[in-house]
């Protein structure tokens, strides 16, 4: 076989392997890990999950750290960009388990509604707060997003928080976190996004 043709075949095989690796990374499902930091060593976190089991994850060098602070529903005004975790009851009515206020810099992040994993029949809806009406069961929020809207009831039991810039030093033993992780090719957990509760707060998302 001529050397140039052999070289071309080798290069093609290398590119196929490389792009296949990228495809695998893109298709890796996001696994949310919720729990308390047991220990931290550089980029390695050992987290005790809410089910009591420990997992080890590695943070990417550019991992985004977001702080989560408790606020009141009265701190959120119509026009704000929010995320709401809600659970549908037997009649299909949406009850909020948590509401989080995004900073303006994250307006538009994750816009829309999708299934969530905090409870059966739960969903996450990100969008603009169109209006908020007092009712017998609580406050009825109308959250609008591209292509639709959702009405969700906020009760006195609903956790309300805001997202603020975080830093690596906020990740310490005993801190409660929610981390978006993926499995790498060797089966390890890696995270590029960690939300950490400040002042002892457990992120409700």
């Amino acid at each position: 076989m001529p050397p140039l043709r052999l070289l071309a075949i080798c290069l093609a095989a290398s590119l196929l392997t490389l792009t296949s690796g990228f495809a695998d990374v893109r298709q890796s499902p996001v696994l949310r890990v919720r729990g308390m930091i047991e220990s931290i060593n550089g980029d390695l976190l050992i987290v005790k999950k809410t089910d009591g089991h420990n997992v080890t994850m590695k943070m990417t060098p550019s991992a985004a750290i977001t702080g989560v602070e408790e606020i009141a529903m009265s701190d959120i005004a119509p026009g704000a960009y929010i995320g709401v975790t809600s659970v549908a009851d037997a009649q299909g009515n949406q009850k909020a388990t948590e509401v989080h206020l995004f900073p303006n810099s994250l307006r538009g992040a994750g816009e829309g509604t999708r299934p969530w994993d905090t409870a059966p029949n739960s969903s996450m809806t990100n969008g603009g707060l169109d209006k908020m009406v007092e009712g017998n069961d609580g406050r009825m929020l109308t959250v609008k997003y591209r292509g639709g809207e959702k009405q969700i009831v906020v009760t006195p039991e609903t956790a309300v928080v805001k997202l603020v810039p975080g830093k690596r030093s906020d990740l310490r033993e005993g801190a409660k976190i929610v981390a978006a992780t993926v499995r790498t090719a060797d089966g390890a957990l890696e995270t590029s996004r960690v939300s950490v509760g400040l002042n002892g707060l457990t992120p409700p998302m």
Side-chain angles (χ1 to χ4, degrees):
M1 182 179 294
L4 286 177
R5 186 179 177 191
L6 178 61
L7 178 60
I9 291 173
C10 291
L11 286 173
S14 298
L15 286 172
L16 180 60
T17 301
L18 184 61
T19 53
S20 297
F22 286 157
D24 288 342
V25 169
R26 287 196 299 269
Q27 293 170 6
S28 297
V30 174
L31 307 170
R32 277 177 285 276
V33 173
R34 300 175 175 89
M36 182 180 71
I37 297 176
E38 289 279 281
S39 66
I40 181 169
N41 182 10
D43 289 333
L44 287 179
L45 295 175
I46 296 178
V47 178
K48 177 175 281 188
K49 298 194 298 179
T50 52
D51 64 7
H53 292 92
N54 280 8
V55 295
T56 301
M57 68 183 74
K58 182 177 181 180
M59 292 184 293
T60 61
S62 58
I65 312 299
T66 301
V68 184
E69 291 183 346
E70 186 175 17
I71 59 172
M73 197 65 214
S74 57
D75 295 324
I76 302 178
Y81 191 75
I82 62 174
V84 186
T85 304
S86 60
V87 177
D89 63 18
Q91 291 72 42
N93 300 312
Q94 297 285 330
K95 298 288 183 69
T97 58
E98 68 88 20
V99 178
H100 55 274
L101 173 64
F102 285 98
N104 283 331
S105 60
L106 291 179
R107 180 174 289 273
E111 185 173 0
T113 188
R114 64 196 64 83
W116 205 241
D117 61 351
T118 50
N121 299 318
S122 65
S123 61
M124 174 67 75
T125 304
N126 289 358
L129 176 57
D130 183 56
K131 57 185 175 182
M132 182 164 44
V133 179
E134 297 287 346
N136 293 331
D137 297 330
R139 296 178 178 178
M140 176 70 77
L141 308 184
T142 300
V143 182
K144 288 194 172 183
Y145 48 87
R146 283 191 300 270
E149 65 179 41
K150 184 179 283 192
Q151 292 188 322
I152 307 169
V153 175
V154 172
T155 71
E157 290 73 37
T158 302
V160 185
V161 298
K162 69 175 179 178
L163 307 184
V164 299
K167 49 190 182 298
R168 289 281 180 122
S169 60
D170 293 325
L171 303 177
R172 55 175 67 92
E173 291 183 16
K176 312 291 188 5
I177 67 167
V178 178
T181 72
V182 295
R183 290 216 177 265
T184 60
D186 60 2
L189 284 177
E190 184 178 71
T191 180
S192 60
R193 302 192 306 276
V194 181
S195 296
V196 55
L198 303 180
N199 303 313
L201 181 72
T202 299
M205 296 83 76

